[in-house]
Amino acid sequence: MNSSAPVPSLRAPFMAATLLCLFLVSSLSLHAQRLPQTARPESYTLTLTPDLKAATFAGVESIDVTLAEPTASITLNAIEIAFRGVTVTAAGKQQKAAVSLDAQKEQATLTFPEKLPAGKATLSIAYTGILNNELRGFYLSKTARRNYAVTQFESTDARRAFPSFDEPAFKATYDVTLVVDSADSAISNGPIVSDTPGPAAGKHTLHFATTPKMSTYLVAFLVGDFQCTAGEQDGVAIRVCSTPDKVALTPYGVEIARYVLHYYNNYFGIPYPLKKLDLIALPDFEAGAMENFGAITYRETALLLDPKTASVHSKREVALVIAHEMAHQWFGDLVTMQWWDNLWLNEGFATWMENKPVAAMHPEWNMDQTVAADVETTLNVDAQPTTRAIRAKAETPAEIEQMFDGIAYGKAGAVLLSVENYLGEETFRKGVHNYLAAHLYSNATAEDFWGAQTAASGKPVDKIMGSLVAQPGAPILTFGEPAGGKVTVAQKRFFLSPSIQADPAQKWTLPVCFKTGADSQECQVLTPGDLTLNAPAAQPFFADAGGKGYYRSAYAPSNYAALVSSVENGLTPTERISLIGDEWAQFRANKATTGDYLNLVAAVKDDPNAQVVGAALTGINSIFSQVAATLEEKAGLAAWIRSTFGPVYARLGAASDNDSANARELRAQVFGVLGYYGKDPAVLDQARLIAEQYLADPASVDANLGQTALAIAARNGDAVLFDKLQKVFETSANPEIQEGALHLLPQFTDPALLQRSMDYAASGKVRNQDTASLFGIALQIGDNRELAWKYIQSHWDQVRAQVSPQMMTRVVASTGNFCSQAGREDVKSFFASHKVAAADKSLQHAMERIDGCIELRTLQEPNLKLWLAAQPK
């Protein structure tokens, strides 16, 4: 599916003792939310009857359990459930249960008159529940035409739909029956095995095949008038489903899913175990997608697509999300982490794996470059003042929800990539197969995985992964001048902020791979005690072959100069992305100047790869918004952008139907920087014309260029364009075009139009899942930030009512775009009196980002002035 404060120094033993007592009480409370191990479920039989008009449902459930010891009570999870009757049958005797609820722990305890013997028992439960509007549990998803009843259970919300042992290690089988309106269909994890009329008039009963053993959070049931496009691969029935008005956008997903399923069957050497695989687009869905076993759910934008009008970016992203969730059918569904502290065993693996089938299916998309750029993003996340280890403690639902972050996904995936690069793809694949085969339909830990890799490779994967998984942060490796076949190396934790001093005791064991030729490398394991490594003879000296290492690199001045001078002919595209990322990190840490970074950008401006140029332009975006503080500085930077990238755009020429995917993206990127930051008059005029053409007929313009032109036009747009975009959002049946139009509304810099976009976001006319994005986008734009923040503050109750609880954390996170002490204090003061659930880490990171921006501007703005003054006029 889709970091912590330092401990203050304590001045007195009394304070230390008090804090310890509070910690112990807190810890006991947290652990008390875990269920006892007395009862283990073996199978569930569920019959649910949803009433979509009344927004309620009735449930009848039986759970076969095994009792480890005699007991007079059984505790399971339940919240927002009304129990109507509970009995237990054990040793041939039936007893009624008394039910006591603990809403804070989200638990129900069933107490019996007589103690149950150890062994088999069956719980029978009748209950009712609500179809909520919170996008979790069993909830309502709505269109203008009708309601749907759908589910989202990860991480701890199955308990809202049926009383359950709602922890990942309590795996069981599920026998699901849905009683629905005669005109409706239903989807669950297994295929339909029977469809019978009744039991009441106007109803029919759908019974689904029993599932394999799986965790509660992977159960799914969806009710409505879904329509599907069907396909088949390797004996598995594949469907992509949607609301009826969007079924024409489902074939692309079928094409991707068929390819990915066959690829994964071959790669894992373990066939997909179910008879069918459904991928379902839901109108209201908070996450990007959810890997329910055999019934994967998606946001409409993450699954539905028209290839004739879609951008390369959208095609790639839909393919990646499909591949990510399908990877979970093995990593997460077949083999599940023992507890949420090892969430990375699900999300990190899927993040690493998703790129492989997409790269094989579409080599023209240069997925290795996308992966390299993602690694750079993750390294920056991991260099914030506070971050967390890949494996981290999480006990409460709120703590578990905060685990779904850039560490569980990005860092874990990058670490796996690094280890795979060190071992070799085939050796690593064998380790993956052995790990999965040893834990099918069961649970696993981090040690299980790296133990399998160590055994398969005979290399110290356990020490490497133990080091990378257990420690927060990432190292920077500082290399000396190679001499005599050796090179000195020093490692320490890297922080983007130069004011933070790393703990000298923190060291890593990790593979370092040196470039030895055009496409060759030599990897060595760096341990905490190593001060030198063997240096290759190849020139230039480059210490991150393929851009796959999980570390930052710093070079001696002469070596860095050699790398820059040969960046276009001595390094591969992924290595160029790595070098750009390392130089950006040095710039942020005040080890390099603004001019040093922009000179590197100039060195790669003619690079033929869109991802390389895109990596460089990311830094320009940050310099423009975070370092340039005056109109004069922004104008100087804009002039440099025009003089540097204007000739590049001219050489790329006009768009053509014969353009490669890379050429389309590259042209759009250069056009975008010239219009958005360069304010090039010719580009601004062209953007208005292309935007009008794209709005009139999306198929008439290359989507990459058309969407970029529309963004430039919106930034400088009037009420006429605003009205057109609002109409597109309200009338289009294409999710990509619809969402694109919506996200442009808060980018208009006219204050009156920005006010309209904020009113619209808070009006209830935008889905809860999308409202937070509008406020977040407005807060990202310097010209709009102050007005948007004042609006949020003055309309707080209205904003909260329109944003789902989980998405509110994104609104909090977006306040991190401020870059002044006054802004920081305002944000801090506001959220001190306007608490947002489960947003403590988001607020902490927002404060850190503001501090980082203030520090960056203070240190680098003078360098920018000097560099601009030295540029040709």
Side-chain angles (χ1 to χ4, degrees):
M1 202 179 63
N2 312 240
S3 324
S4 61
V7 178
S9 59
L10 302 175
R11 296 184 180 180
F14 172 75
M15 289 182 65
T18 302
L19 186 64
L20 179 60
C21 289
L22 290 172
F23 173 76
L24 290 174
V25 171
S26 174
S27 296
L28 290 171
S29 174
L30 297 182
H31 283 290
Q33 291 203 248
R34 300 281 288 271
L35 293 174
Q37 298 295 308
T38 308
R40 296 194 65 84
E42 302 294 338
S43 64
Y44 293 77
T45 300
L46 294 168
T47 299
L48 294 110
T49 305
D51 184 334
L52 275 63
K53 292 181 180 177
T56 61
F57 64 93
V60 177
E61 171 186 35
S62 67
I63 312 174
D64 293 328
V65 300
T66 299
L67 302 177
E69 59 191 36
T71 183
S73 66
I74 294 175
T75 299
L76 38 63
N77 295 110
I79 188 73
E80 297 177 354
I81 292 290
F83 287 81
R84 304 303 181 191
V86 180
T87 61
V88 64
T89 302
K93 185 175 182 179
Q94 187 179 83
Q95 301 183 59
K96 287 187 177 181
V99 181
S100 60
L101 301 176
D102 187 330
Q104 184 176 4
K105 295 180 182 178
E106 301 184 356
Q107 292 177 357
T109 297
L110 315 177
T111 304
F112 313 105
E114 298 178 19
K115 186 172 284 191
L116 306 175
K120 303 295 184 182
T122 299
L123 295 170
S124 298
I125 305 172
Y127 64 98
T128 57
I130 60 170
L131 297 172
N132 66 68
N133 290 307
E134 297 180 358
L135 309 185
R136 59 180 180 171
F138 200 10
Y139 71 91
L140 284 181
S141 181
K142 303 174 183 179
T143 67
R145 194 174 53 84
R146 61 159 299 158
N147 291 344
Y148 294 79
V150 301
T151 56
Q152 170 58 32
F153 292 158
E154 191 175 32
S155 52
T156 60
D157 289 313
R159 62 194 67 176
R160 298 177 190 274
F162 57 98
S164 54
F165 298 85
D166 197 12
E167 296 179 4
F170 286 123
K171 285 196 167 187
T173 61
Y174 296 83
D175 205 299
V176 175
T177 299
L178 294 171
V179 180
V180 303
D181 291 345
S182 297
D184 280 344
S185 61
I187 300 170
S188 190
N189 303 90
I192 296 172
V193 294
S194 68
D195 182 351
T196 57
K203 300 287 184 180
H204 67 137
T205 300
L206 301 172
H207 181 61
F208 297 86
T210 303
T211 72
K213 284 183 67 175
M214 64 185 194
S215 303
T216 47
Y217 76 88
L218 298 169
V219 178
F221 23 89
L222 308 103
V223 179
D225 58 353
F226 297 103
Q227 293 185 11
C228 310
T229 296
E232 183 274 338
Q233 187 66 50
D234 296 356
V236 176
I238 296 175
R239 299 188 304 174
V240 175
C241 307
S242 70
T243 56
D245 57 318
K246 296 182 174 69
V247 70
L249 304 176
T250 57
Y252 180 80
V254 174
E255 175 190 356
I256 298 294
R258 291 183 64 237
Y259 188 95
V260 171
L261 185 75
H262 183 68
Y263 184 97
Y264 285 165
N265 281 340
N266 287 339
Y267 183 90
F268 295 128
I270 299 170
Y272 174 75
L274 304 185
K275 294 180 180 179
K276 67 93 173 174
L277 176 64
D278 291 329
L279 293 74
I280 311 103
L282 303 179
D284 293 286
F285 195 69
E286 189 169 67
M290 176 60 211
E291 65 267 20
N292 314 302
F293 214 170
I296 306 172
T297 46
Y298 295 80
R299 274 197 184 205
E300 290 180 333
T301 50
L303 182 61
L304 306 178
L305 185 142
D306 182 354
K308 294 190 292 294
T309 60
S311 67
V312 175
H313 172 79
S314 292
K315 291 178 183 177
R316 182 170 58 237
E317 288 305 305
V318 167
L320 284 171
V321 177
I322 290 173
H324 182 101
E325 302 308 323
M326 289 180 64
H328 275 310
Q329 305 299 291
W330 285 263
F331 289 114
D333 297 7
L334 264 176
V335 180
T336 311
M337 76 265 147
Q338 184 75 18
W339 182 249
W340 299 103
D341 59 344
N342 272 318
L343 175 65
W344 71 277
L345 286 173
N346 287 13
E347 299 302 348
F349 273 98
T351 301
W352 159 75
M353 192 71 207
E354 68 187 25
N355 301 286
K356 290 182 175 294
V358 177
M361 186 178 189
H362 288 287
E364 74 277 12
W365 288 352
N366 299 323
M367 287 306 303
D368 58 336
Q369 297 176 38
T370 298
V371 171
D374 289 344
V375 171
E376 296 308 309
T377 299
T378 298
L379 284 166
N380 287 334
V381 169
D382 213 17
Q384 297 296 327
T386 57
T387 181
R388 68 171 180 87
I390 290 176
R391 178 162 60 184
K393 182 180 177 181
E395 297 291 343
T396 68
E399 289 174 339
I400 292 166
E401 283 302 309
Q402 293 186 83
M403 293 287 286
F404 290 82
D405 61 8
I407 301 301
Y409 290 76
K411 181 176 181 178
V415 165
L416 292 170
L417 175 72
S418 178
V419 174
E420 178 193 36
N421 184 53
Y422 162 60
L423 296 182
E425 291 187 4
E426 182 56 27
T427 299
F428 192 80
R429 189 197 68 80
K430 289 178 181 176
V432 167
H433 169 85
N434 294 346
Y435 162 76
L436 291 172
H439 301 281
L440 292 177
Y441 305 106
S442 187
N443 298 84
T445 66
E447 288 77 9
D448 293 324
F449 174 74
W450 62 59
Q453 289 291 355
T454 301
S457 66
K459 294 184 177 180
V461 179
D462 51 350
K463 292 182 174 59
I464 293 168
M465 293 205 69
S467 172
L468 289 165
V469 168
Q471 298 188 86
I476 182 167
L477 308 183
T478 301
F479 296 93
E481 290 273 8
K486 297 286 186 180
V487 62
T488 60
V489 57
Q491 63 160 300
K492 67 176 181 179
R493 182 172 174 179
F494 177 73
F495 290 98
L496 290 174
S497 170
S499 65
I500 300 175
Q501 297 301 310
D503 179 357
Q506 187 177 7
K507 306 283 186 182
W508 283 261
T509 297
L510 75 167
V512 177
C513 296
F514 295 107
K515 185 177 181 68
T516 58
D519 293 303
S520 59
Q521 65 179 22
E522 176 187 306
C523 296
Q524 301 167 52
V525 175
L526 176 69
T527 69
D530 289 335
L531 300 177
T532 62
L533 291 172
N534 294 327
Q539 293 296 322
F541 174 75
F542 188 68
D544 187 17
K548 296 178 179 179
Y550 196 72
Y551 48 85
R552 287 292 181 200
S553 303
Y555 301 94
S558 60
N559 287 333
Y560 177 74
L563 285 169
V564 173
S565 66
S566 61
V567 65
E568 285 298 322
N569 54 30
L571 299 179
T572 66
T574 58
E575 291 164 349
R576 286 172 226 154
I577 291 170
S578 173
L579 183 66
I580 292 167
D582 283 340
E583 183 63 8
W584 174 255
Q586 293 290 84
F587 160 74
R588 281 296 312 270
N590 206 36
K591 300 295 185 183
T593 67
T594 311
D596 293 333
Y597 180 79
L598 292 175
N599 289 338
L600 178 57
V601 171
V604 300
K605 65 181 174 63
D606 290 312
D607 196 285
N609 298 282
Q611 294 281 10
V612 175
V613 174
L617 295 182
T618 298
I620 289 180
N621 174 18
S622 295
I623 291 170
F624 199 95
S625 60
Q626 296 182 331
V627 178
T630 67
L631 292 176
E632 182 182 5
E633 290 162 5
K634 291 181 185 294
L637 192 54
W640 179 82
I641 289 170
R642 293 193 297 272
S643 65
T644 302
F645 288 97
V648 176
Y649 182 64
R651 282 195 297 274
L652 289 172
S656 164
D657 290 341
N658 297 322
D659 284 336
S660 66
N662 177 75
R664 293 170 189 267
E665 288 199 294
L666 180 60
R667 181 182 294 104
Q669 286 178 341
V670 177
F671 184 76
V673 75
L674 284 170
Y676 211 74
Y677 297 115
K679 303 293 185 184
D680 186 294
V683 169
L684 294 177
D685 289 341
Q686 190 178 6
R688 282 189 286 270
L689 293 174
I690 295 173
E692 290 176 6
Q693 187 179 352
Y694 181 74
L695 280 174
D697 180 10
S700 68
V701 180
D702 169 51
N704 308 276
L705 194 60
Q707 292 172 9
T708 303
L710 201 52
I712 295 169
R715 181 76 180 269
N716 304 278
D718 56 15
V720 174
L721 180 57
F722 188 99
D723 291 341
K724 287 181 180 180
L725 289 171
Q726 188 172 337
K727 184 177 180 181
V728 168
F729 167 68
E730 292 174 348
T731 61
S732 176
N734 184 318
E736 179 191 10
I737 292 174
Q738 185 183 42
E739 184 184 75
L742 178 66
H743 286 178
L744 289 176
L745 297 182
Q747 297 189 42
F748 283 76
T749 54
D750 181 324
L753 297 178
L754 178 61
Q755 175 77 28
R756 281 183 60 186
S757 73
M758 297 292 94
D759 287 338
Y760 193 56
S763 68
K765 296 178 181 178
V766 178
R767 293 186 185 278
N768 288 0
Q769 67 196 31
D770 297 319
T771 302
S773 297
L774 300 190
F775 293 119
I777 290 168
L779 288 168
Q780 288 176 13
I781 298 172
D783 292 339
N784 293 354
R785 189 172 301 129
E786 292 288 345
L787 194 155
W789 176 233
K790 289 177 182 176
Y791 184 95
I792 292 168
Q793 290 174 299
S794 61
H795 296 76
W796 181 245
D797 290 341
Q798 192 177 354
V799 170
R800 291 203 68 168
Q802 296 302 323
V803 179
S804 63
Q806 184 62 26
M807 297 301 287
M808 274 305 301
T809 62
R810 300 194 184 185
V811 176
V812 174
S814 296
T815 61
N817 287 290
F818 279 98
C819 197
S820 69
Q821 193 63 38
R824 185 191 194 281
E825 293 307 313
D826 193 16
V827 170
K828 181 180 179 182
S829 174
F830 182 78
F831 287 119
S833 58
H834 298 77
K835 300 290 185 182
V836 177
D840 54 319
K841 291 183 179 178
S842 295
L843 181 58
Q844 179 184 3
H845 288 309
M847 295 292 100
E848 291 172 352
R849 287 176 57 206
I850 296 171
D851 291 341
C853 185
I854 294 170
E855 180 181 49
L856 177 65
R857 180 171 290 174
T858 300
L859 294 172
Q860 292 287 358
E861 186 185 7
N863 294 328
L864 175 62
K865 288 181 179 179
L866 290 173
W867 185 82
L868 288 173
Q871 298 307 301
K873 303 301 180 186

